[in-house]
Amino acid sequence: MRAYVIREAGGPERLALEEVARPEPRDGWVLIRNRAFGLNRSEWFTRRGDSPSVAFPRVLGIECVGEVAEAPASDLQPGTRVAAMMGGMGRQFDGSYAEYVLVPRQNVFPLETNLDWHILGALPEMFQTVHGSLHTGLEIDRAENLLVRGATSSIGLAAIALGRAAGLEVTATTRNIDKAQLLLDAGAAHVLEDDGTIRSQANSIHSGGFDRVLELIGASTLLDSLLATRRGGIVCMTGILGGEWIIPEFHPMGDVPTGVKLTSYSGEAGDISVAQLQQYVELVESGALQLKLGPRYRFEKLPEAHAMMDENRANGKIVVEVS
């Protein structure tokens, strides 16, 4: 089979398309005929050499959709449509940048859907991350409004859609105000231009701050997001779009406002059930949930897709189709 193997960190050109052996099926694992996969920032970090726990050579890719090829000693039958994500994909073992992928059964989600592969391929990791951030991290069932910081990312756009679907008023931020209409079309009620400090803008919309803040930029804006949150509110750091992992000289007693709760989300596939993922897929299929998807690439053009991710030009989830 064909797979993209990365042997040393660097730019998109480090992703080399090679002929490799197809994984051998074994009990407790599912061999998937890969049809499509979305690109994720974690893969971008790994490619650049920012994931020290990942050893090269490696086939990257933490999610995919396709059909069961073989599933020994399993409840899954060949031909079943499935999604797979996380559980070490593309990190501890070879992932989805390949024509066939071998994944632990517990990380495989059987799905009933007629969605085109390129649409379905955008959904698994995006829904898992947003669902976990909103429900596990932010506990949105007790909130009325949500600020999504870094909202033009694929996760940010999905968070707007799922937040709206949950009945929240959603405010979105962007560094480029020219993208305001994109965010309004995605369902945001308000758009803030983010120059690194949004506290005063937040107070102009909700005096005292927001109920919930989903922080996707990361350490570079986290302290300011805390200041834009009301007492009793929650800030959840899920993303690091800004590229900064740590806050130098962080002083919790001074930097975390009284009564504001700070958490993070970097959960696993187990944080979303098969039924929940199926429900989200059905909402997309029916048109009840509108998502802004990014460009599609053929498998042979994967390095070009990574180059687009490097340049932050996607404005939605990039999906690669495996012919």
Side-chain angles (χ1 to χ4, degrees):
M1 71 171 189
R2 297 180 301 164
Y4 281 92
V5 182
I6 182 167
R7 300 184 181 279
E8 59 179 311
E13 72 283 355
R14 297 298 185 189
L15 298 165
L17 187 57
E18 301 180 7
E19 284 288 338
V20 301
R22 196 174 87 168
E24 289 292 331
R26 61 182 186 268
D27 290 357
W29 292 63
V30 180
L31 182 64
I32 298 169
R33 169 67 171 94
N34 194 6
R35 296 295 185 179
F37 55 89
L39 297 192
N40 297 279
R41 281 283 167 174
S42 66
E43 298 151 8
W44 178 70
F45 281 117
T46 302
R47 192 207 75 211
R48 299 193 317 166
D50 294 332
S51 300
S53 64
V54 179
F56 295 153
R58 176 63 69 217
V59 176
L60 304 182
I62 65 170
E63 66 174 322
C64 72
V65 296
E67 299 144 331
V68 173
E70 297 183 59
S74 167
D75 58 321
L76 296 176
Q77 298 300 312
T80 302
R81 284 196 167 204
V82 293
M85 55 182 142
M86 304 182 75
M89 285 180 68
R91 299 180 66 82
Q92 281 72 54
F93 56 88
D94 286 342
S96 61
Y97 290 9
E99 292 177 318
Y100 286 84
V101 192
L102 189 64
V103 184
R105 171 64 184 90
Q106 64 265 28
N107 293 87
V108 178
F109 294 70
L111 296 171
E112 295 182 10
T113 178
N114 291 314
L115 282 175
D116 289 341
W117 289 117
H118 76 276
I119 298 175
L120 190 62
L123 306 184
E125 179 68 14
M126 184 163 61
F127 277 144
Q128 184 275 327
T129 300
V130 176
H131 177 88
S133 297
L134 297 184
H135 292 279
T136 301
L138 290 173
E139 303 174 7
I140 60 169
D141 57 309
R142 299 187 290 108
E144 296 181 359
N145 59 72
L146 168 70
L147 173 70
V148 180
R149 195 156 193 182
T152 57
S153 64
S154 60
I155 295 298
L157 291 167
I160 294 171
L162 267 62
R164 278 287 308 278
L168 300 179
E169 177 199 86
V170 182
T171 298
T173 78
T174 175
R175 293 176 299 171
N176 182 358
I177 201 62
D178 292 340
K179 295 183 177 181
Q181 194 58 52
L182 168 72
L183 298 172
L184 293 170
D185 291 344
H190 311 282
V191 176
L192 307 181
E193 185 174 10
D194 192 347
D195 62 0
T197 305
I198 61 169
R199 180 184 185 182
S200 61
Q201 295 182 76
N203 288 333
S204 71
I205 297 173
H206 291 289
S207 178
F210 287 91
D211 292 344
R212 303 289 187 268
V213 177
L214 178 58
E215 175 59 77
L216 299 176
I217 298 175
S220 59
T221 55
L222 179 60
L223 298 185
D224 186 65
S225 289
L226 290 166
L227 296 175
T229 308
R230 68 166 177 82
R231 181 174 289 202
I234 304 174
V235 178
C236 178
M237 179 171 158
T238 293
I240 34 179
L241 295 171
E244 294 186 22
W245 296 76
I246 63 173
I247 302 174
E249 297 190 24
F250 174 55
H251 302 284
M253 290 295 292
D255 292 335
V256 180
T258 298
V260 174
K261 301 173 179 63
L262 171 62
T263 188
S264 65
Y265 183 76
S266 57
E268 268 290 348
D271 291 338
I272 188 170
S273 68
V274 172
Q276 288 167 332
L277 184 58
Q278 177 70 48
Q279 181 182 28
Y280 287 138
V281 168
E282 289 173 0
L283 289 173
V284 173
E285 194 163 12
S286 69
L289 184 59
Q290 299 288 332
L291 294 173
K292 176 69 173 67
L293 302 182
R296 300 158 57 184
Y297 283 88
R298 292 185 294 111
F299 186 61
E300 294 78 11
K301 299 294 184 180
L302 176 61
E304 292 182 20
H306 260 257
M308 172 167 277
M309 189 160 53
D310 281 4
E311 298 163 8
N312 292 314
R313 293 187 291 110
N315 293 327
K317 183 83 167 186
I318 300 172
V319 174
V320 175
E321 296 178 273
V322 186
S323 60

